[in-house]
Each structure stands twice: as structure tokens, then as C-alpha cells.
């Protein structure tokens, strides 16, 4: 019974940490969205956010694995003795609902960010394509212009005063 209480406490703590991490992910995703809305995106900051999000996701995976292991040990006890642990189960369910709500908001923002990033990449590709085309035109112009004058051609100057 006492070990069950310790395990339940560990599961609640895990869910509470996961909720905090999900909120941090939401803030970072919102910041990403703001960056993507700017005309000149700060790619350095964008990459920093991606790295931070990767680290947070790794923490979530670790917490999930630990939670699953503990839940496997307690699942039969929680199913058979629901009334004893009702308040603890309700606390965990509350955390899970909040985590799920946060996850849904993150997912929606991620979808918008993905679309905005693809639009950004498309614009960047177009700019590169245009830049290459104008570079080719300039190079071609400068290569051909010196060849326009031949020595047998004469230049006439108006010497009227």
C-alpha cells in the first residue's frame, strides 16, 4: 500500500513536469510563429528554438517512458481499488486533460508554422532563382560588351564649336 502511494506520487510528479514542459513548448512554438510572421526572419533564433524544442521533446519522451513503467506496475491495483485512489486518479486525469489541451494547441500552431515556413522557403528559393538569373544576365553583358568594338570600326566625333 505504501509503495503504491509512492508510485502514484511519482506518476503525478511526472505528469506535472510534463505539463510544465508542454507549456514551455507552447511558448516556443508561439515565438516561432512570430518569427515566421516577420518579413526578415531571424534564422539563428529560429534554429535556437528548434534545438530547444528538441531538448524538451526528449525530456517528454523520458518522462513518458518512466510514467508507462510505473503505470504498468500499478495498473492492476488502480483498477481493482479505484475508490481508495479516486482523488489521486482524478488529479492525474486533470493533468492529462491539461497536457492534452496544450498538445492540441501546439499541434495547431505547428501546422500553421509549417505552412508559413514552406511559404518562406518558396520565397527564398524564388529570390535565389531571380538572383542567379540577374547574375547570369550581368555576366553575359560584361562578357559581350568588350567584344562589341572592332578595330576596323571607326569612331566619329563631332568637332563643331
Amino acid at each position: 500500500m505504501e509503495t503504491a502511494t509512492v508510485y502514484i506520487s511519482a506518476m503525478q510528479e511526472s505528469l506535472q513536469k510534463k505539463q510544465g514542459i508542454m507549456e514551455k513548448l507552447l511558448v516556443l512554438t508561439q515565438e516561432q510563429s512570430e518569427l515566421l510572421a516577420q518579413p526578415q526572419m531571424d534564422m539563428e533564433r529560429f534554429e535556437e528554438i528548434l534545438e530547444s524544442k528538441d531538448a524538451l521533446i526528449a525530456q517528454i519522451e523520458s518522462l513518458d517512458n518512466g510514467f508507462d513503467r510505473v503505470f504498468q506496475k500499478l495498473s492492476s491495483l488502480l483498477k481493482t481499488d479505484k475508490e481508495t485512489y479516486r482523488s489521486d486518479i482524478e488529479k492525474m486525469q486533470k493533468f492529462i486533460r491539461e497536457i492534452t489541451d496544450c498538445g492540441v494547441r501546439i499541434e495547431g500552431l505547428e501546422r500553421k508554422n509549417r505552412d508559413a515556413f514552406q511559404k518562406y522557403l518558396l520565397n527564398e528559393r524564388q529570390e535565389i532563382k531571380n538572383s542567379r538569373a540577374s547574375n547570369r544576365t550581368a555576366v553575359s553583358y560584361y562578357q559581350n560588351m568588350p567584344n562589341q568594338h572592332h578595330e576596323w570600326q571607326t569612331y566619329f566625333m563631332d568637332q563643331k564649336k
Side-chain angles (χ1 to χ4, degrees):
M1 185 89 140
E2 188 175 308
T3 57
T5 307
V6 170
Y7 283 147
I8 289 173
S9 175
M11 289 171 58
Q12 288 175 346
E13 186 179 323
S14 175
L15 287 171
Q16 190 173 13
K17 286 181 182 177
K18 183 175 179 178
Q19 180 187 12
I21 292 171
M22 291 292 286
E23 289 172 1
K24 289 177 186 176
L25 270 173
L26 180 61
V27 168
L28 288 173
T29 305
Q30 289 169 337
E31 187 178 345
Q32 242 180 354
S33 185
E34 292 168 7
L35 279 174
L36 287 166
Q38 295 175 354
Q40 290 290 23
M41 185 173 64
D42 181 3
M43 276 306 283
E44 257 184 59
R45 180 63 188 142
F46 189 81
E47 289 176 10
E48 288 172 6
I49 291 172
L50 286 178
E51 290 171 7
S52 297
K53 286 172 70 172
D54 282 344
L56 291 174
I57 290 170
Q59 289 178 15
I60 288 174
E61 288 174 357
S62 174
L63 287 171
D64 283 346
N65 291 336
F67 184 89
D68 287 342
R69 284 193 300 269
V70 173
F71 183 75
Q72 293 303 320
K73 292 178 183 179
L74 285 182
S75 64
S76 61
L77 176 67
L78 292 175
K79 287 177 185 175
T80 57
D81 204 3
K82 286 182 183 179
E83 288 304 313
T84 306
Y85 302 106
R86 177 178 288 298
S87 66
D88 294 321
I89 292 171
E90 287 173 353
K91 273 185 189 177
M92 286 189 284
Q93 287 174 337
K94 179 181 174 269
F95 280 129
I96 291 170
R97 276 191 297 276
E98 290 172 359
I99 290 168
T100 303
D101 289 344
C102 192
V104 167
R105 289 187 301 198
I106 290 171
E107 188 176 338
L109 273 174
E110 284 290 343
R111 229 179 273 122
K112 287 180 185 177
N113 287 352
R114 184 187 66 230
D115 293 342
F117 189 68
Q118 287 177 347
K119 184 178 177 183
Y120 169 79
L121 286 178
L122 186 65
N123 289 338
E124 288 296 310
R125 285 184 189 129
Q126 190 63 38
E127 282 184 33
I128 290 170
K129 186 178 177 183
N130 292 343
S131 174
R132 286 182 181 160
S134 65
N135 282 346
R136 270 188 255 128
T137 304
V139 166
S140 175
Y141 174 80
Y142 287 115
Q143 284 175 346
N144 290 329
M145 283 312 291
N147 298 329
Q148 294 301 314
H149 174 67
H150 300 287
E151 288 194 26
W152 52 268
Q153 290 179 325
T154 60
Y155 289 105
F156 294 101
M157 294 178 87
D158 190 7
Q159 294 185 359
K160 291 183 183 177
K161 289 188 182 182

